[in-house]
Amino acid sequence: MLRAKMEYKCSVILTKALILFVLVNCVHSAAVSPRHVTDGSNDPNKPCVACQAPCPRKSIYVRKTCTNCHTYTSRCCDGVINDYFQNDQFENLFSNRDSLEAHAKGFWDYHSFIAASAHYQPYGFGTTYINSTFFGTKEVAAFLAHVGTRTSCGNKVASKEPLEWGLCYNKEINSNSTNYCDEHVKNIYPCAPGVAYYGRGALPIYWNYNYGEASKDLKVDLLNHPEYIEQNATLSFQVAIWRWMTPIMEHQPSAHDVFTGYWKPTKNDSLAKRVSGFGATINVLYGDLVCGQGDNEFMNNIISHYLYYLDLMGVGREEAGPHEVLSCAKQVAFNPTPSSSP
């Protein structure tokens, strides 16, 4: 009993010392090196993040709190997305999603996106600080730029303002052409009878292996019921954020990692002209289907969506960075192209 009391006292003393250390660091940081918050607001009332710890990685899909990462604070990823991204901004970004021409009219909404993102915010989605720089607003703009591009019908229905037609679709049109069942992984992810694994969702996923991986990580039986994605907007966004936050290959970065700068290029990456930034997210998601091909229409369309969304979200396209960061035109792909679609 005496030993237990002594251990408890030691624990309390250490905890108090640790809290004091954090407070001193925060005060010192505020006094010596003012924060530069680059979310378009430069808000001096942003919470102190002087400890600069990375958010816990979501690569193993075990729900953890920020106390499990190596940090001096109890929270590494601060705030929530709906603190700075409101319903009216969502409406501005996707102003034509419920038009008569939209194939998914009435399907998408702001609250579904917020609900889907809530699971990933503790892991840094839209909440990441790196070296006291807030990446949240720009990351949401970057993610939604990919979403807007992949779900747009702007080129088909609008000669003007084609960037306003994101979230027009929630699934691949003319999807009966192939079932996207890869025989090589049927032992791991067997294809359900009569089921087709065509593109579905805000960032469409294809093939049985991608549905299988998403099923395992999200704990939803998408392998047997891929149609769930096109029936539930929250799940559709959640699968898209899963794709954004998840490395496609082991020991490689996710789109989130390369955008926020959590990933640091190696010497080989530098030789392959891969750098952190928006262009690298295109590389992670599409590889040499898009990247390393010089300027091309699909890549430039994604970049145009990103710049447009930065303007609408109040950050401004001038914060996007130089062209070599925005583009992947000269980047070697992280992965060679398989014989399948993205």
Side-chain angles (χ1 to χ4, degrees):
M1 179 66 72
L2 180 60
R3 180 180 178 182
K5 289 182 178 179
M6 292 180 65
E7 289 179 349
Y8 173 78
K9 289 180 178 179
C10 288
S11 175
V12 171
I13 292 172
L14 287 172
T15 301
K16 289 182 177 180
L18 191 58
I19 293 171
L20 180 62
F21 178 78
V22 172
L23 291 174
V24 169
N25 267 295
C26 287
V27 171
H28 175 75
S29 174
V32 177
S33 178
R35 295 186 309 278
H36 298 286
V37 181
T38 58
D39 62 353
S41 64
N42 291 321
D43 183 359
N45 296 316
K46 286 284 183 183
C48 179
V49 289
C51 298
Q52 302 177 9
C55 302
R57 300 295 301 279
K58 184 89 171 50
S59 57
I60 54 175
Y61 292 96
V62 176
R63 182 93 178 181
K64 296 180 179 179
T65 64
C66 282
T67 54
N68 286 326
C69 64
H70 301 294
T71 176
Y72 298 120
T73 62
S74 61
R75 298 190 69 195
C76 319
C77 325
D78 197 88
V80 291
I81 289 174
N82 56 336
D83 281 346
Y84 61 83
F85 182 58
Q86 306 296 326
N87 183 68
D88 60 337
Q89 293 171 299
F90 183 90
E91 295 295 330
N92 287 337
L93 265 58
F94 305 109
S95 57
N96 291 318
R97 73 184 192 282
D98 289 331
S99 66
L100 292 176
E101 296 87 349
H103 292 264
K105 180 181 179 181
F107 181 78
W108 304 101
D109 65 272
Y110 168 78
H111 297 290
S112 295
F113 169 68
I114 294 300
S117 66
H119 180 78
Y120 289 91
Q121 291 178 44
Y123 304 100
F125 178 69
T127 60
T128 293
Y129 286 85
I130 300 290
N131 296 328
S132 299
T133 299
F134 183 58
F135 280 84
T137 314
K138 290 171 68 176
E139 182 179 13
V140 169
F143 168 78
L144 291 177
H146 283 278
V147 168
T149 304
R150 293 303 304 274
T151 60
S152 176
C153 56
N155 292 332
K156 297 181 179 180
V157 301
S159 58
K160 296 181 179 179
E161 307 299 340
L163 302 179
E164 296 180 356
W165 288 87
L167 298 181
C168 178
Y169 299 103
N170 63 354
K171 64 178 180 178
E172 180 185 350
I173 302 300
N174 301 322
S175 54
N176 294 324
S177 57
T178 179
N179 65 358
Y180 294 99
C181 177
D182 188 336
E183 300 286 340
H184 296 94
V185 294
K186 286 182 70 174
N187 290 335
I188 304 173
Y189 299 119
C191 299
V195 167
Y197 299 98
Y198 55 80
R200 297 175 175 89
L203 276 181
I205 60 171
Y206 294 75
W207 299 93
N208 51 317
Y209 51 82
N210 282 320
Y211 280 88
E213 288 289 324
S215 294
K216 181 175 63 176
D217 292 339
L218 300 177
K219 295 178 172 52
V220 180
D221 187 9
L222 300 176
L223 194 60
N224 289 303
H225 297 284
E227 73 278 3
Y228 287 168
I229 296 176
E230 60 189 86
Q231 295 171 353
N232 186 301
T234 299
L235 180 60
S236 186
F237 274 125
Q238 191 173 22
V239 171
I241 301 171
W242 165 82
R243 178 75 289 164
W244 178 264
M245 298 292 289
T246 310
I248 292 176
M249 298 283 288
E250 193 175 0
H251 306 303
Q252 290 187 359
S254 65
H256 166 78
D257 292 335
V258 299
F259 183 79
T260 60
Y262 183 80
W263 167 76
K264 301 300 180 186
T266 65
K267 181 179 180 181
N268 287 338
D269 289 313
S270 297
L271 291 173
K273 301 185 183 302
R274 293 190 290 259
V275 296
S276 296
F278 185 74
T281 69
I282 306 174
N283 193 333
V284 168
L285 295 174
Y286 309 116
D288 54 13
L289 292 175
V290 179
C291 299
Q293 311 287 338
D295 279 339
N296 59 82
E297 183 179 359
F298 185 80
M299 181 192 72
N300 289 331
N301 193 21
I302 302 173
I303 294 172
S304 294
H305 275 82
Y306 177 48
L307 299 177
Y308 180 63
Y309 288 4
L310 285 176
D311 286 342
L312 289 182
M313 293 176 68
V315 177
R317 63 183 60 206
E318 62 275 7
E319 295 291 332
H323 184 70
E324 59 267 24
V325 172
L326 282 171
S327 167
C328 66
K330 297 181 180 180
Q331 293 185 17
V332 177
F334 283 102
N335 299 301
T337 306
S339 59
S340 57
S341 298

